[in-house]
Amino acid sequence: MSHERFYLYDETENVNTRFVSFTGETVRFDLIILTTSRFYGKKVVINIQNGRSAIIGHDDLDEEGYLAHAFNLNDEEAEDLHAFLATVI
């Protein structure tokens, strides 16, 4: 039985990668921030401690509860992450 793979896209791109580690009020963050030409100017943010990731732009930072949900954080942790990401997004 033959199974043909259906690709929506398959492209290679050089990506700017930033590794950042910082401490908030209650927790340490270890992040990878990817800047790419995809995602309408948004950045891919990966929390390497728990493997959670999100595509984040200014509009996402303004959405209440988005960071807490995306990265499985409590409100205080999400505020720490928001304060940092507001300077780099």
Side-chain angles (χ1 to χ4, degrees):
M1 182 186 233
S2 173
H3 176 69
E4 291 188 35
R5 198 170 310 243
F6 178 74
Y7 291 96
L8 296 175
Y9 57 84
D10 181 4
E11 300 174 6
T12 301
E13 176 183 354
N14 289 324
V15 175
N16 183 1
T17 306
R18 178 177 177 183
F19 298 90
V20 180
S21 180
F22 68 94
T23 56
E25 291 294 321
T26 60
V27 69
R28 172 182 164 164
F29 291 93
D30 293 296
L31 306 175
I32 300 171
I33 302 170
L34 304 173
T35 304
T36 174
S37 65
R38 294 187 171 272
F39 310 120
Y40 307 100
K42 295 184 178 192
K43 297 183 187 287
V44 179
V45 179
I46 305 164
N47 180 341
I48 59 176
Q49 290 183 342
N50 64 11
R52 295 186 68 117
S53 63
I55 298 169
I56 300 176
H58 293 286
D59 58 330
D60 302 304
L61 290 177
D62 293 338
E63 186 176 328
E64 188 173 333
Y66 179 77
L67 293 178
H69 174 73
F71 292 99
N72 194 30
L73 304 171
N74 66 38
D75 289 340
E76 187 176 359
E77 294 165 345
E79 286 177 27
D80 288 338
L81 182 57
H82 181 276
F84 169 74
L85 290 177
T87 67
V88 298
I89 297 294

